[in-house]
Amino acid sequence: MSANGSADLVFVNGAVYTVDAARRWAQAVAVRDGRIAAVGTDADVEELVGSKTEVIDLGGKMLLPGFQDAHVHPPASGVDMLLCDLHDAVGLDDYRGLIREYAETHPDAEWILGGGWAMDVFPGGTPTKDLLDDIVPDRPVYLPNRDGHSGWVNSKALKIAGITRDTPHPRDGRIELDELGEPSGTLHEGAQSLVSDHAPEPTNEEWEQGLLTAQTYLHSLGITAWQDAIVGGSYPTLDAYIAVAGRDELTARVIGALWWDRHRGLEQIPELLESRARGIVGRFSATSVKIMIDGVCENFTAAVLDPYLDAHGHPTDNQGISFVDPEVLKQAVTRLDAEGFQVHYHSLAERAVREALDAVEAARQANGPSDHRHHLAHIQVVHPEDIPRFRELDAVANAQPLWAAHESQMDDLTIPFLGEPRWTWQYPFESLVRAGAVLAMGSDWSVSSPDPLQEIHVAVNRVMPEDYPHRVDSRDVFLPDERIDLTTAIAAFTMGSAYVNHLDEVTGSVEVGKYADLVVVDRNLFAYPQSEISRAKVVLTLVEGERVFAADDIG
Ligand SMILES: [Zn+2]
């Protein structure tokens, strides 16, 4: 503390939205020694201004608690940013241009790696090898799509992997075939590893670089904490986090969700305990375990109760994939709960959601209540009977709101195959809130934009932001009853995600004694029409009172 008790930094003349229990507003905030020292009117903080205090006049801008992303993949996304990155491209011509450019500017790369294409660019969501062979005939190409559930490969990559028309589909995936029965150039889910196992893995140094690149980008969007939804498995990033946190270069607070190897059983728990013991360094804590229960709807690998429909609306015999046997899942979650782990599920469609909740129920019956805050991410399709169970079982709804809108992936690749009434069970955010569930939110970047303002925009409007790089044919509101209000959406990205991260005692709201993890947005979101939320921009991000991002035009 400064000798005279004065603040290090004071914000005045702002629209301070505290997200405290009363959702109180204030005008001014004082920061001292990395913590919030006062919240109130300009007059309230005046006495804390000393000769060395920096004073920032917010001029009516909005100050909020730093955003927290409850499900995101920063190191891999950061590595992607440094490779052949297709995320911001729109359409096949752009993709081909970027791939050609990357290949030309990286003549020494043995493989062309990166990814981020959108399924809706290709008929049936499945790009073909010949499109790549044209551009890169001599080196293998492997490019996962933006949700990572399908990979686009060229002939050279198929050859290296030894994939032919006779290769059986792996148990946890599918090789897309053309009309002649030849591998066509798209690999789904576990089939991707037939190729990716041959590709060079990022080195530890590249993972660290990716993490730091991602951190800079996330701070520029106002994010001060996140839960990394996969640490281990195909993203062996535990050592990168430990190294970066150990050097005190991890400015964000991060909870790591250790990867549950779905090909193994409870015998892996001692290894998870060992990773957790090693994985608590600086602002990083590997205290969660990620269990991926199913795939995604667009390639029919999400676990559904009734079978998917075919293109003509007739039932198929496909109910998707449960990656983990439901009985094993119950035993695993019960043990993990007893060991003090939080469980972070990928549970996308209604059977996966039910299996996840059933496993939490089994753990509650065996172990009684716990404060581990198990959470279900994605929750795209939830059977109405399961909605009250989130509150009853104390399971957190971890939503990725940017997907809850009409766009081509939803309209062309999802709704017709879910059918009536099931497609109306999608992203039931308001129903969950009304049923008393705790709501956290995240982006699943690099699947979709990690910009919380874009995501809050869709959570509130259920319409895609104007400039989203995705084909949008319909601007109708997607299931309007499931819109949530701005207060609820902001709370989900601050206190809700802080709760999931066990950071709610020290962050998540602007209250005296908490860390000064703060964000300044260029306008008071409540003072503009809700249809304009996505136009707002973050101008300043602080962690413990230190600037981790500042736009050019802030004091
Ligand atoms: Zn994810």
Side-chain angles (χ1 to χ4, degrees):
M1 190 183 297
S2 334
N4 59 359
S6 62
D8 303 313
L9 171 65
V10 160
F11 293 98
V12 295
N13 189 26
V16 177
Y17 191 51
T18 62
V19 200
D20 70 0
R23 304 294 185 248
R24 182 165 47 126
W25 289 83
Q27 198 176 22
V29 174
V31 175
R32 188 167 53 210
D33 298 330
R35 303 256 181 181
I36 296 166
V39 181
T41 62
D42 290 352
D44 290 335
V45 299
E46 209 167 290
E47 62 188 28
L48 294 171
V49 177
S51 55
K52 295 203 174 115
T53 305
E54 182 186 6
V55 179
I56 296 180
D57 183 342
L58 288 170
K61 294 187 194 70
M62 189 176 195
L63 187 145
L64 296 138
F67 297 125
Q68 304 201 15
D69 189 315
H71 181 116
V72 62
H73 306 281
S77 308
V79 166
D80 274 0
M81 286 170 81
L82 303 167
L83 292 172
C84 180
D85 185 8
L86 304 178
H87 284 92
D88 292 329
V90 185
L92 183 57
D93 288 345
D94 274 15
Y95 293 168
R96 290 166 62 94
L98 285 170
I99 296 164
R100 178 176 287 119
E101 186 191 319
Y102 183 85
E104 282 170 7
T105 54
H106 294 80
D108 297 332
E110 282 173 37
W111 284 66
I112 307 300
L113 301 170
W117 49 276
M119 296 179 84
D120 59 63
V121 169
F122 302 97
T126 57
T128 52
K129 60 190 174 190
D130 48 288
L131 295 168
L132 291 173
D133 293 345
D134 261 10
I135 318 171
V136 188
D138 52 335
R139 287 180 279 173
V141 181
Y142 170 62
L143 301 169
N145 71 348
R146 59 179 68 202
D147 66 21
H149 292 267
S150 302
W152 182 14
V153 296
N154 67 350
S155 295
K156 185 83 180 178
L158 288 168
K159 184 149 184 258
I160 288 171
I163 299 174
T164 66
R165 57 185 302 135
D166 301 319
T167 307
H169 300 290
R171 202 189 60 78
D172 60 347
R174 196 157 52 77
I175 301 163
E176 191 72 29
L177 303 174
D178 64 20
E179 320 81 75
L180 301 172
E182 294 289 337
S184 66
T186 307
L187 304 170
H188 301 293
E189 302 297 339
Q192 293 178 87
S193 59
L194 298 173
V195 164
S196 64
D197 284 354
H198 296 270
E201 288 291 325
T203 61
N204 269 348
E205 199 177 22
E206 286 166 334
W207 281 122
E208 290 175 27
Q209 233 181 340
L211 168 57
L212 291 168
T213 303
Q215 176 173 263
T216 301
Y217 181 47
L218 295 174
H219 282 331
S220 79
L221 300 172
I223 293 168
T224 53
W226 66 73
Q227 182 153 151
D228 187 313
I230 300 181
V231 176
S234 50
Y235 299 151
T237 54
L238 181 61
D239 290 327
Y241 272 112
I242 291 172
V244 170
R247 293 197 298 266
D248 209 18
E249 292 173 18
L250 192 68
T251 42
R253 301 177 204 285
V254 181
I255 300 299
L258 299 165
W259 178 248
W260 178 266
D261 181 350
R262 63 203 191 210
H263 303 295
R264 297 165 68 202
L266 276 61
E267 73 277 7
Q268 66 189 291
I269 289 176
E271 290 160 43
L272 294 169
L273 287 165
E274 191 268 330
S275 294
R276 180 174 67 184
R278 218 156 62 76
I280 300 180
V281 180
R283 293 196 179 97
F284 178 69
S285 298
T287 47
S288 189
V289 172
K290 166 72 174 298
I291 304 183
M292 185 154 165
I293 301 192
D294 65 342
V296 296
C297 288
E298 291 86 347
N299 64 9
F300 314 117
T301 55
V304 289
L305 290 166
D306 290 322
Y308 288 101
L309 306 183
D310 67 17
H312 308 287
H314 302 127
T316 64
D317 57 7
N318 180 12
Q319 286 173 275
I321 305 177
S322 289
F323 290 128
V324 181
D325 174 85
E327 289 310 311
V328 174
L329 184 67
K330 285 181 191 168
Q331 293 166 22
V333 173
T334 301
R335 267 289 298 286
L336 291 169
D337 180 70
E339 297 287 0
F341 279 109
Q342 172 182 81
V343 176
H344 177 162
Y345 291 109
H346 169 121
S347 48
L348 193 129
E350 76 275 13
R351 196 179 82 236
V353 170
R354 183 163 291 177
E355 288 168 2
L357 291 168
D358 288 349
V360 174
E361 188 171 85
R364 300 288 186 230
Q365 279 164 3
N367 306 332
S370 76
D371 191 33
H372 306 324
R373 308 175 186 182
H374 307 308
H375 51 120
L376 283 72
H378 306 333
I379 50 175
Q380 177 168 351
V381 188
V382 184
H383 191 286
E385 287 172 13
D386 288 321
I387 283 177
R389 298 179 71 203
F390 283 78
R391 176 185 57 76
E392 290 160 11
L393 295 167
D394 214 0
V396 180
N398 181 347
Q400 283 63 61
L402 200 57
W403 309 342
H406 284 292
E407 39 83 38
S408 48
Q409 199 156 308
M410 168 62 71
D411 295 345
D412 303 341
L413 300 176
T414 304
I415 289 174
F417 304 97
L418 290 177
E420 296 277 358
R422 180 167 49 192
W423 78 267
T424 67
W425 302 346
Q426 290 188 91
Y427 304 116
F429 306 152
E430 177 64 15
S431 295
L432 285 160
V433 170
R434 274 199 302 262
V438 175
L439 184 64
M441 284 186 163
S443 64
D444 208 7
W445 182 50
S446 60
V447 176
S448 40
S449 162
D451 183 347
L453 293 167
Q454 305 267 318
E455 295 162 63
I456 289 170
H457 179 96
V458 181
V460 171
N461 294 292
R462 307 273 286 197
V463 174
M464 272 294 172
E466 291 153 345
D467 52 354
Y468 195 67
H470 232 237
R471 214 182 77 226
V472 178
D473 298 326
S474 164
R475 302 210 68 87
D476 291 347
V477 177
F478 180 72
L479 302 172
D481 290 349
E482 297 298 349
R483 284 176 292 194
I484 56 175
D485 60 36
L486 181 54
T487 300
T488 305
I490 291 173
F493 266 106
T494 53
M495 271 310 267
S497 295
Y499 176 77
V500 150
N501 287 332
H502 285 92
L503 291 170
D504 51 311
E505 298 281 336
V506 289
T507 67
S509 61
V510 182
E511 293 182 83
V512 172
K514 285 195 168 182
Y515 286 125
D517 294 5
L518 304 169
V519 58
V520 177
V521 176
D522 66 355
R523 69 191 72 186
N524 181 350
L525 297 172
F526 287 91
Y528 289 80
Q530 295 195 340
S531 57
E532 295 178 12
I533 294 169
S534 67
R535 295 187 197 169
K537 291 269 178 289
V538 166
V539 294
L540 182 68
T541 310
L542 305 178
V543 173
E544 288 175 46
E546 299 290 331
R547 287 168 194 230
V548 291
F549 168 74
D552 298 336
D553 53 348
I554 182 92

